[in-house]
Amino acid sequence: MRSVVIDAPGSVRVDTRPDPGLPGPDGAVVAVSATAICGSDLHFYEGDYPIVDPVPLGHEAIGTVVEAGPEVTSVKAGDRVMVSSVAGCGRCAGCATRDPIRCHAGPLIFGSGALGGAQSELLAVPGADFQLAPIPDGLCDEEALLLTDNLATGWAAALRADIPVGGTVAVIGLGAVGLCAAQSALFLGAATVLGIDPVPQRRDRAAAMGATPAPPSATVAAMEHTGGRGVDAVIDAVGSDTTMADALTAVRAGGTVSVVGVHDLQPFPFPALAALVRSITLRMTTAPVQQTWPQLVPLLQSGRLSVAGIFTTEMPLDAAADAYRAVAARSGDVVKVLLTP
């Protein structure tokens, strides 16, 4: 099969690898029909994470089951499915909450070295009854693909931000996750969502979705829009030292900072005293993907929540190197790339 791999920072190629077999009696093999590049994939591409051996990339995929183990009961060969980007064992008390992050064996993420990469023609999926779900009626491929990670992440970020109805929220980083978080915050009752991003076209894209374009500094934007009080909540979809520090100063006393951006491997110099005396709540999470599906699927099916405009570009899998260069440029034209094997 063909699979996108990274050998070193900036060095992405399409490799030919053996077809995967069943990863156990509770597993399945999925023929990937669509996959995508996530902002967190750039941590390998830009050298934030070490690469010892070539790493098959990608953790977002939808496709068709080609083989299912004898213990799999929820899907069968021929079913079109979406694959949770985060995997759990599916059998423990933690997984019973439908949150793979709570898996007692420890969660695994596709495309990070522990499991195969979703940017491939075939993907071996352990614990298929937990990781896979049939693509519901009425959902397009783009919606289903966003449910595997970005929309689930943006939704979780907004839920954990303690957004008061009628409140003001700043969203830092208007890539796919940030745009999904902005949409989610508005749906959950925010009156104003400030869209923070250094790229003007990305701010314009957020404005088209109902956000208020704001200066690239969350602190400046927050103080301008609240008379110096600070916003009720900040969602950080970048997760760098700069953005997290900005978030902690932009939020009002007693407010919440919800971080879903992926940090690098260096310690963050947390301003503990300032956060303590201002009674700031800090929440950080990887999306509980499976837990969000019962909430998000009906909202997408009804049209009450829209993700139109998140995907900007479609390219074949063989053009993965060009696709990664385009995503890494962080332009206003390319926000989210869909790859088709």
Side-chain angles (χ1 to χ4, degrees), residues 135-151:
I135 296 177
D137 293 339
L139 294 192
C140 68
D141 284 357
E142 292 184 355
E143 291 170 326
L145 197 49
L146 288 170
L147 282 168
T148 68
D149 180 11
N150 289 173
L151 179 55

Side-chain angles (χ1 to χ4, degrees), residues 2-336:
R2 291 173 299 146
S3 182
V4 177
V5 301
I6 186 164
D7 298 297
S11 179
V12 165
R13 60 186 171 87
V14 178
D15 193 13
T16 299
R17 297 200 155 205
D19 291 354
L22 279 177
D26 65 344
V29 177
V30 174
V32 177
S33 59
T35 180
I37 298 175
C38 180
S40 58
D41 293 326
L42 296 181
H43 281 288
F44 288 107
Y45 188 78
E46 295 175 338
D48 294 329
Y49 296 159
I51 302 171
V52 178
D53 297 312
V55 177
L57 290 169
H59 52 265
E60 304 172 350
I62 61 172
T64 301
V65 176
V66 295
E67 186 178 6
E71 296 179 6
V72 178
T73 61
S74 61
V75 296
K76 63 184 183 305
D79 287 349
R80 294 185 67 242
V81 294
M82 48 192 184
V83 186
S84 170
S85 56
V86 186
C89 72
R91 299 182 298 272
C92 68
C95 288
T97 68
R98 305 298 295 168
D99 182 355
I101 296 301
R102 302 185 188 186
C103 178
H104 292 181
L108 298 173
I109 300 175
F110 290 98
S112 62
L115 297 175
Q119 293 163 16
S120 305
E121 291 182 294
L122 296 169
L123 183 64
V125 181
D129 284 332
F130 186 60
Q131 263 67 253
L132 300 180
I135 296 177
D137 293 339
L139 294 192
C140 68
D141 284 357
E142 292 184 355
E143 291 170 326
L145 197 49
L146 288 170
L147 282 168
T148 68
D149 180 11
N150 289 173
L151 179 55
T153 301
W155 179 255
L159 284 176
R160 292 169 63 85
D162 300 327
I163 300 169
V165 174
T168 299
V169 180
V171 176
I172 303 176
L174 299 175
V177 170
L179 291 173
C180 288
Q183 290 278 68
S184 299
L186 288 166
F187 180 87
L188 290 170
T192 303
V193 173
L194 305 178
I196 314 295
D197 196 286
V199 180
Q201 297 97 315
R202 294 194 173 202
R203 298 199 297 271
D204 293 342
R205 189 177 297 276
M209 298 177 178
T212 301
S217 163
T219 301
V220 171
M223 298 311 162
E224 286 181 355
H225 282 79
T226 63
R229 173 174 169 266
V231 292
D232 298 299
V234 180
I235 297 171
D236 182 0
V238 178
S240 69
D241 283 5
T242 299
T243 59
M244 285 196 286
D246 195 18
L248 288 163
T249 56
V251 72
R252 64 166 170 80
T256 298
V257 172
S258 176
V259 179
V260 288
V262 180
H263 197 263
D264 60 27
L265 296 178
Q266 302 304 311
F268 170 60
F270 182 67
L273 179 59
L276 182 142
V277 298
R278 298 181 62 235
S279 193
I280 302 302
T281 297
L282 173 64
R283 291 198 172 103
M284 307 180 77
T285 188
T286 297
V289 178
Q290 294 90 322
Q291 198 177 84
T292 69
W293 288 341
Q295 301 165 332
L296 291 173
V297 167
L299 293 176
L300 290 171
Q301 288 173 317
S302 68
R304 294 196 63 209
L305 189 65
S306 172
V307 291
I310 302 291
F311 277 99
T312 56
T313 311
E314 182 174 333
M315 302 175 74
L317 190 74
D318 287 337
D322 292 335
Y324 267 87
R325 280 191 290 271
V327 173
R330 295 177 175 84
S331 71
D333 296 325
V334 179
V335 174
K336 184 73 173 174

